[in-house]
Amino acid sequence: MSETPTEAQPATPPGSLYRRLDLPLAGMTGATAGERVRNRLRRMEGVVAVEIAADLSGATLTLDPARAALPDLVREVESLGYAVLDVLTPLSIRGMTSSACVARVRHALESVEGVIEAQVNPVLNRADVRLLAPERRLDELMAAVRRAGYGVTPLGEHGAVADVESAADYGSGAGANRPESLMLGIVLVLTAPLLLNLGWQVLAGHPLFAVAWAFILSTAVLGLGGARYAFGAWRAIRERETTMDLLVVLGSSSAYLYSLVAWISLHPDGRNLYFETAAAIIAFVRLGKWLEAMVKHGTTRAIRGLMELRAKSARVARDGGFVSKPIDKVAVGEVVVVKPYERIPVDGVIVGGESTVDSSMITGAGLPEDKTVGDAVTGGTMNGGGTLHVQAQRLAAESTLARIIALVEEAQARKVPLQRFVDRAATAFVPLVLGMAGFTLFAWLAVEGSFAAAVEAAVSVLVIACPCALGLAAPTALVAGTGAAARAGILIRDIDSLEKAHRVDTVLFDKTGTLSEGRPFVTSVEALDGDISRLLTIAASAQQGNEHPLGRAILEYAANYGIVPSSLKSFEAMPGRGVRAVIAGQTEVLIGNRPLMEGFGIEMAVGDWIAPLLAMAGRSAIWVAADGRLIGGLSVCDPLRSDARRAVAALKEGGIACAIVSGDADTAVAAVAQALGVKNAFCDALPETKIRIVRRLQRIGRSVAMVGDGINDAPALAEADIGIAVGAAADAAMQSADITLLRADVVSVANALAVCRETWTKIRQNLALAFVYNLIALPVAAMGFLSPAVAGGAMAASSVSVVVNAFLLTRWKPHLPEAAPPDAPHDPCRVTPPATQGGDKPETPC
């Protein structure tokens, strides 16, 4: 990279401990921006020199790697508002058994050069590695994981991860990892006689069989069932680290070796031996892990269910017939044949046939819809009884379903901030436990003088303290909660929003397309010169090609009136205001609200006499100007959603204040607010106005959620504490939002906040369970109240209890409004769309 000259930069001398790092950046648009980045980075510890590229595409740093950490450098640049270009590499990890394993894998990945951050999820058995672009370093990443002692394979790159079962260490479900289930069965069969013998000895005073049989059975259990833990412990010792495997092996082998020595030299009669305990530790740990995986399998079923919607192949029409192609090979523009009761394989538009399409598997609810030529369909939805010809509009990797899967798994793979603290605590916890076990051993020897009792207490401490539950507390709840939300058509994009959502006390609603149906229609036309045909011709001509619902409403009304639009020369949309266009004859047309007209200097006083007619209760006034002069306006109405009042009532019952922030005129907004029982409403709100309203509420201590669906809502969605995009939201709105609602209803807003609160509550409950368990169990074990076998069972039970508590989230169901709720608001629109009556003017009942 070339340098922007401001001062001489020292070169990196040969053999120096310093190294050079290329940092690819985006967003720097001038010399001032480059200087800001340079100055900020130069002030960071360990940074010797900074060179900014002449084209502002990045920076080259000379730094001391022992004192300058890449994640700190990236955070510093991003805090200035510039982006560090990166790539995300997902990996499937095998062999993780605790939060200590998670920490080891993360440390191994982050030690690879160019890695900014590694997120490791023990529930999904997955790691997401963020690297500097354009580096990929897949081989280095996998080698680092293997050196740490874990198995690793790359995951797919189509915006969707591989099935989590393929990465699981313990299977559940038909055919899932049968060797692990078989090994558990063998261990339990071998351990059962030992436990029976122990119980008989306690009750009857003598054993069922000789000590030699106990020795043989326990040796078989440790050799077969304990081998995986022995290998893990050896790797930990070799790497000078402490893991759960080390605790399990120390606990079981201590009991086994003590029993073996005591049997040979001290107690040949079999008294005070712990062969049963050694075997029971391994059996209980394996059983706990298996049960844990069974429940984990249930928490991940949402992502598997979405993956099962993906078609493997498609019938592509060709030369009067069709050929079967893998779904990844279907190109945009090709026509796919979908037979009755088959899943639609691609996102596209129907070019032949008609049928019903069931979208409930993606949106979470809803009845099948009638579809015909020209209607859009989504890949993964179910075709009804008709044959459809669908022209592909997106590649498989860019489809709606692929984006949904990517959003869900991105949320599930990330950590909540609290989990980072837990990982650090778990890493420090294992050495603490080893120290406590040693202290317990010597304390018992000093106080009681019994080596057998001292060993039993120390082994109990080692076994009961395994930090499995800590590592699972947050990820299991996170996966279960986001999965339950996804099944209800609620996509949580940013996992930090879970923490923010439970604090939301104010919800701001956009009106058009959010509280209303987003299908407006023209109710009346008023021309200042009385020539309605001319006004409609100008308005329709300017709206050609406009995808905004208001533009389509004007075009439909003009078509019903028999208007033939003139040719369109140019078109410019101005979000929140309206449109500007040039039509045949070089006529410049403005169509929009009053602020648009006033912004272009249009004299509005001449239209004051028609303003009351256009802006009757519940209606919006759309003004039309041609060549700098107001010529009239249209009155537009958009019916409220049937569930709008129920949604507002649900939020109010939860103690959440509601307000409407809309770009519509005051009369339309006020009528909707009155119908919904909302006291606060803001009209004529431009995108920048919505941002100011959000910031004003935040300054007085409110936690704000913004709900919208349009491009003009995107800035406010990004600015709010929680941004919620509703229904078929614009791409910009979905990208700016923390939560996307696939169902086109606003009751899902209350449901989204509810599931976020439930998930965050479960995370805190699980962490409390895990911490309280260890706080209580360790002293109890150290005081000798728990045998090692019981300690092993208690440790397994703690992990299972945490996972089961999280699994309860999978039962969460959204509140679904009735199709026509009995308390539906009185719709201020009170009109129906005009019907076509040949060339006559359509009726407008209002």
Side-chain angles (χ1 to χ4, degrees):
M1 289 185 180
S2 60
E3 181 186 350
T4 301
T6 55
E7 59 181 274
Q9 301 290 340
T12 305
S16 169
L17 295 177
Y18 297 146
R19 69 179 181 87
R20 292 174 69 85
L21 172 70
D22 289 329
L23 206 60
L25 304 176
M28 294 191 298
T29 56
T32 303
E35 198 61 28
R36 286 185 69 203
V37 172
R38 175 204 292 273
N39 292 337
R40 182 67 68 88
L41 291 176
R42 280 290 301 272
R43 289 199 295 267
M44 296 192 66
E45 183 180 3
V47 176
V48 177
V50 181
E51 304 171 26
I52 302 297
D55 60 358
L56 301 177
S57 62
T60 298
L61 285 68
T62 303
L63 50 82
D64 179 356
R67 295 188 298 135
L70 178 57
D72 294 336
L73 299 172
V74 171
R75 279 193 292 270
E76 198 71 18
V77 171
E78 291 177 341
S79 71
L80 292 173
Y82 306 112
V84 175
L85 300 179
D86 56 33
V87 292
L88 194 67
T89 302
L91 301 171
S92 170
I93 311 295
R94 297 184 301 277
M96 294 188 295
T97 54
S98 72
S99 56
C101 296
V102 171
R104 285 190 71 201
V105 172
R106 188 182 67 249
H107 177 72
L109 290 169
E110 290 181 346
S111 66
V112 176
E113 185 177 353
V115 171
I116 301 171
E117 181 186 27
Q119 298 273 359
V120 183
N121 190 308
V123 179
L124 300 177
N125 297 291
R126 163 183 171 142
D128 287 277
V129 189
R130 184 185 174 200
L131 300 100
L132 291 177
E135 303 289 340
R136 199 129 191 105
R137 298 182 182 272
L138 183 59
D139 292 339
E140 292 181 44
L141 295 173
M142 294 174 64
V145 173
R146 292 190 182 108
R147 283 195 301 273
Y150 302 91
V152 58
T153 52
L155 288 176
E157 300 181 10
H158 298 322
V161 300
D163 190 333
V164 292
E165 284 187 28
S166 65
D169 287 311
Y170 292 86
S172 57
N177 215 330
R178 288 197 179 104
E180 290 293 343
S181 300
L182 179 62
M183 180 57 68
L184 173 64
I186 293 172
V187 167
L188 291 178
V189 168
L190 294 174
T191 305
L194 291 170
L195 297 179
L196 181 63
N197 183 56
L198 179 62
W200 187 268
Q201 189 169 0
V202 171
L203 294 175
H206 60 85
L208 277 173
F209 45 76
V211 178
W213 282 108
F215 165 71
I216 292 171
L217 290 172
S218 63
T219 302
V221 171
L222 267 66
L224 295 173
R228 63 176 298 135
Y229 300 108
F231 287 128
W234 170 247
R235 287 195 300 263
I237 293 171
R238 190 179 60 201
E239 299 289 333
R240 296 176 183 165
E241 295 180 351
T242 50
T243 65
M244 191 208 81
D245 290 341
L246 186 59
L247 293 182
V248 171
V249 169
L250 284 175
S252 58
S253 61
S254 297
Y256 177 83
L257 292 174
Y258 170 80
S259 300
L260 182 61
V261 172
W263 178 40
I264 294 174
S265 58
L266 301 176
H267 305 292
D269 58 352
R271 291 181 295 107
N272 296 325
L273 302 183
Y274 302 108
F275 286 122
E276 297 89 349
T277 295
I281 289 171
I282 298 297
F284 281 135
V285 170
R286 290 197 78 111
L287 177 61
K289 282 294 179 185
W290 187 83
L291 291 172
E292 178 187 302
M294 287 281 287
V295 186
K296 280 163 64 176
H297 181 86
T299 64
T300 57
R301 70 184 179 192
I303 191 73
R304 292 196 312 274
L306 287 171
M307 290 174 180
E308 288 168 2
L309 299 180
R310 295 180 299 183
K312 301 295 188 295
S313 61
R315 298 184 190 88
V316 177
R318 184 163 301 170
D319 300 328
F322 57 80
V323 294
S324 182
K325 295 177 67 172
I327 191 64
D328 291 342
K329 302 297 183 183
V330 177
V332 172
E334 290 189 308
V335 176
V336 173
V337 180
V338 186
K339 293 189 175 181
Y341 306 109
E342 286 186 342
R343 203 170 295 285
I344 296 172
V346 296
D347 286 6
V349 174
I350 298 174
V351 294
E354 57 183 30
S355 183
T356 57
V357 174
D358 183 0
S359 303
S360 61
M361 62 287 296
I362 289 181
T363 63
L367 297 173
E369 296 179 278
D370 294 332
K371 298 285 186 178
T372 187
V373 174
D375 290 336
V377 291
T378 302
T381 54
M382 184 64 72
N383 182 28
T387 298
L388 295 176
H389 289 70
V390 179
Q391 186 177 52
Q393 300 290 303
R394 289 192 182 103
L395 299 175
E398 300 169 354
S399 67
T400 300
L401 183 57
R403 291 165 62 197
I404 290 171
I405 293 173
L407 281 172
V408 174
E409 64 188 2
E410 178 186 346
Q412 293 185 343
R414 292 190 57 173
K415 281 185 170 67
V416 293
L418 196 56
Q419 182 64 26
R420 299 185 183 99
F421 163 75
V422 172
D423 289 345
R424 290 194 297 270
T427 303
F429 185 68
V430 176
L432 180 67
V433 169
L434 292 174
M436 188 172 181
F439 174 79
T440 301
L441 177 69
F442 290 110
W444 271 86
L445 286 174
V447 175
E448 294 291 330
S450 169
F451 189 70
V455 168
E456 182 172 350
V459 169
S460 296
V461 169
L462 286 172
V463 173
I464 206 166
C466 292
C468 308
L470 276 177
L472 292 167
T476 49
L478 190 59
V479 170
T482 53
R487 287 197 303 276
I490 300 168
L491 303 183
I492 302 173
R493 177 189 180 92
D494 183 358
I495 217 56
D496 292 339
S497 63
L498 281 174
E499 185 177 5
K500 298 174 185 175
H502 81 279
R503 294 198 298 264
V504 166
D505 55 20
T506 305
V507 174
L508 302 181
F509 286 98
D510 173 51
K511 184 181 81 68
T512 304
T514 302
L515 292 173
S516 65
E517 293 181 358
R519 292 183 287 113
F521 49 88
V522 177
T523 59
S524 66
V525 180
E526 302 293 340
L528 294 181
D529 61 0
D531 191 346
I532 291 177
S533 295
R534 175 174 175 266
L535 187 148
L536 279 178
T537 301
I538 291 173
S541 301
Q543 294 288 358
Q544 292 178 91
N546 187 5
E547 292 300 318
H548 192 281
L550 289 175
R552 292 198 298 269
I554 293 173
L555 286 168
E556 289 173 7
Y557 189 92
N560 289 337
Y561 200 77
I563 297 297
V564 178
S566 304
S567 60
L568 180 66
K569 302 298 184 182
S570 67
F571 177 88
E572 178 188 0
M574 285 165 279
R577 293 179 173 89
V579 301
R580 180 170 62 171
V582 176
I583 62 175
Q586 300 303 310
T587 302
E588 184 177 7
V589 182
L590 292 172
I591 305 178
N593 55 21
R594 182 177 287 266
L596 173 70
M597 299 296 158
E598 293 172 346
F600 279 88
I602 304 298
E603 174 58 50
M604 297 298 295
V606 296
D608 285 348
W609 67 276
I610 64 170
L613 301 174
L614 297 177
M616 292 175 65
R619 304 181 188 179
S620 300
I622 306 297
W623 297 96
V624 182
D627 290 330
R629 186 171 59 86
L630 188 70
I631 62 173
L634 304 94
S635 182
V636 177
C637 203
D638 189 8
L640 285 176
R641 294 186 187 274
S642 61
D643 64 331
R645 187 168 191 168
R646 190 174 295 239
V648 171
L651 289 168
K652 286 183 175 179
E653 286 174 9
I656 297 174
C658 298
I660 299 173
V661 182
S662 174
D664 280 349
D666 54 355
T667 52
V669 177
V672 170
Q674 183 179 9
L676 299 181
V678 174
K679 294 182 180 179
N680 296 304
F682 303 86
C683 61
D684 294 323
L686 302 175
E688 52 269 30
T689 309
K690 295 180 180 181
I691 291 178
R692 286 200 298 271
I693 293 169
V694 169
R695 289 175 178 169
R696 187 191 311 164
L697 290 168
Q698 290 171 332
R699 279 198 299 271
I700 62 174
R702 311 291 289 190
S703 182
V704 181
M706 175 69 198
V707 185
D709 75 322
I711 294 174
N712 60 318
D713 297 318
L717 291 173
E719 187 68 28
D721 297 285
I722 299 290
I724 304 176
V726 178
D731 285 347
M734 290 183 67
Q735 291 168 6
S736 303
D738 301 300
I739 299 172
T740 298
L741 309 179
L742 298 180
R743 293 182 59 211
D745 68 60
V746 282
V747 169
S748 290
V749 174
N751 288 331
L753 295 177
V755 74
C756 286
R757 285 194 298 267
E758 288 284 333
T759 304
W760 188 249
T761 298
K762 286 294 181 187
I763 289 173
R764 289 186 296 180
Q765 287 176 352
N766 280 353
L767 289 173
L769 278 172
F771 276 113
V772 169
Y773 162 80
N774 279 294
L775 287 174
I776 295 175
L778 278 172
V780 171
M783 288 185 287
F785 293 121
L786 294 177
S787 70
V790 173
M795 187 274 288
S798 72
S799 296
V800 173
S801 66
V802 162
V803 179
V804 168
N805 187 48
F807 179 71
L808 296 177
L809 262 178
T810 63
R811 296 176 156 185
W812 179 85
K813 300 291 184 186
H815 170 73
L816 299 177
E818 300 171 18
D823 59 344
H826 174 66
D827 191 343
C829 208
R830 295 184 300 140
V831 293
T832 55
T836 302
Q837 298 182 1
D840 298 330
K841 181 177 177 179
E843 291 185 0
T844 54
C846 280

